[in-house]
Amino acid sequence: MTAPGRRSSTFSRLLRHGFTDPSAAERLLESAELAAVRSDPVLLDALGATADPDLALAGLVRLLEGQPDHTDRRKVLDTLTAAKPLRDRLLGVLGASAALGEHLARHPHDWQALVTYEPQDLHPGVEEFERGLAEATDPVSLRVAYRRCLLSIAARDVCGTTDVAQAAAELADLATATLRAALAMASAAAPEDAALCRLAVIAMGKCGGHELNYVSDVDVIFVGETADGADEQAAIRAATRLASHMMRICSETTVEGSIWPVDANLRPEGRNGPLVRTLSSHLAYYQRWAKTWEFQALLKARPVAGDLDLG
């Protein structure tokens, strides 16, 4: 027992390790889930090295609580004490992002997405992220798969395995893979519309320039054309429905939250213009009406999804 008016040695150690609420942290350390490691100095050192030790510890306890049985909890705890690269990545993510900590609490096996240690010169691109999203069949499962991919980016970021530019490029590549998956879902939900048109999704702004950050909107514009033999007006209406559905798949809130807003307001005439234009309509606008900033915005534009080849 601690004498009245005196702090426990654990309380003092927590203060030294950067905890802002040592009393709450002490209670968490006394939880049954941490019984096997609460006195291990490695754990406190690792928690203290995170951006927010309080957040990291709370996320760790929730992750352990979510494990289905003792064997799974033991596997996580063994990782904490024996595998430094993975320990740093897991606790680093938990201490940097409340949202990813909540994801791991809801999907307690997803921490294993951090098992593979990436050498500094190995970074996933669009194809790897597409494989990570391949099993998603609806907006909810897409969000789960998206955050599982995001875990690996964030972990390398907080551990310094990637620099700022590399992390931004990986986030843009993950956005590209996500837009492709969302468009495929929209097309599968409306095969009649998909048969009438060809659609290209053009990344703009930070996504187009491979400069995306964790909280960015994803800016896009859409180019549509008729499929063989289709009426042009009918095709553009079909492409507009597909584009709108794709945007909702990414932007709307589900039980797994949302991914990010898809913003199409950089298109010709902004929000007052049609969501989807033909290539000839885009060219006519830029030749006659576009302002300087619109031409500057095009410098970062790149096709990222769809079946329309813009050459």
Side-chain angles (χ1 to χ4, degrees):
M1 296 290 292
T2 302
R6 299 191 64 180
R7 298 295 190 186
S8 70
S9 59
T10 301
F11 185 99
S12 300
R13 284 191 296 133
L14 290 169
L15 279 176
R16 291 197 301 272
H17 281 87
F19 287 85
T20 59
D21 190 349
S23 296
E26 193 169 13
R27 289 192 295 272
L28 287 172
L29 285 172
E30 290 300 317
S31 64
E33 287 75 17
L34 289 177
V37 296
R38 68 168 62 103
S39 60
D40 191 327
V42 168
L43 176 61
L44 279 187
D45 288 344
L47 287 167
T50 66
D52 187 334
D54 300 86
L55 183 63
L57 177 57
L60 174 60
V61 172
R62 291 183 66 193
L63 172 62
L64 291 168
E65 289 173 342
Q67 299 303 313
D69 55 43
H70 174 76
T71 300
D72 289 295
R73 282 193 294 276
R74 184 72 253 179
K75 187 174 182 181
V76 178
L77 292 173
D78 287 345
T79 295
L80 289 175
T81 56
K84 184 182 187 315
L86 181 52
R87 177 176 67 241
D88 290 347
R89 296 174 85 182
L90 176 58
L91 295 182
V93 167
L94 290 173
S97 172
L100 289 177
E102 290 170 2
H103 172 84
L104 285 170
R106 291 194 304 272
H107 304 280
H109 283 161
D110 277 6
W111 71 273
Q112 295 181 61
L114 306 179
V115 168
T116 302
Y117 184 73
E118 304 284 355
Q120 189 167 357
D121 61 348
L122 179 61
H123 303 284
V126 175
E127 290 184 1
E128 287 81 5
F129 290 130
E130 284 188 299
R131 287 196 290 271
L133 302 178
E135 295 184 4
T137 56
D138 56 61
V140 172
S141 59
L142 181 61
R143 281 149 179 71
V144 175
Y146 171 83
R147 289 195 177 86
R148 190 180 302 121
C149 292
L150 191 61
L151 279 168
S152 65
I153 298 175
R156 289 191 304 276
D157 192 1
V158 297
C159 291
T161 309
T162 57
D163 60 24
V164 172
Q166 289 168 330
E170 289 180 22
L171 288 167
D173 285 342
L174 177 55
T176 294
T178 305
L179 290 170
R180 291 179 182 179
L183 182 56
M185 289 180 191
S187 299
E192 301 87 354
D193 285 342
L196 287 175
C197 65
R198 293 177 296 173
L199 181 65
V201 184
I202 314 298
M204 306 287 285
K206 292 178 181 178
C207 186
H210 274 101
E211 301 165 346
L212 206 60
N213 60 52
Y214 292 97
V215 296
S216 292
D217 294 354
V218 172
D219 294 304
V220 301
I221 58 176
F222 298 99
V223 181
E225 295 288 358
T226 62
D228 293 340
D231 174 76
E232 183 174 285
Q233 290 187 342
I236 295 303
R237 288 194 296 270
T240 299
R241 289 190 292 269
L242 291 177
S244 298
H245 191 186
M246 186 210 79
M247 294 172 69
R248 291 195 302 273
I249 287 171
C250 295
S251 302
E252 286 185 343
T253 300
T254 72
V255 293
E256 289 291 340
S258 63
I259 300 177
W260 16 248
V262 179
D263 189 342
N265 290 333
L266 291 179
R267 66 185 185 269
E269 301 177 85
R271 66 175 64 247
N272 296 319
L275 182 62
V276 180
R277 291 176 180 260
T278 63
L279 181 58
S280 60
S281 176
H282 275 281
L283 292 174
Y285 174 85
Y286 283 103
Q287 289 168 355
R288 186 171 182 181
W289 302 108
K291 298 178 177 61
T292 300
W293 70 264
E294 291 178 287
F295 286 109
Q296 292 173 334
L298 285 178
L299 294 176
K300 294 183 178 180
R302 61 186 177 93
V304 295
D307 57 359
L308 175 58
D309 184 4
L310 297 179

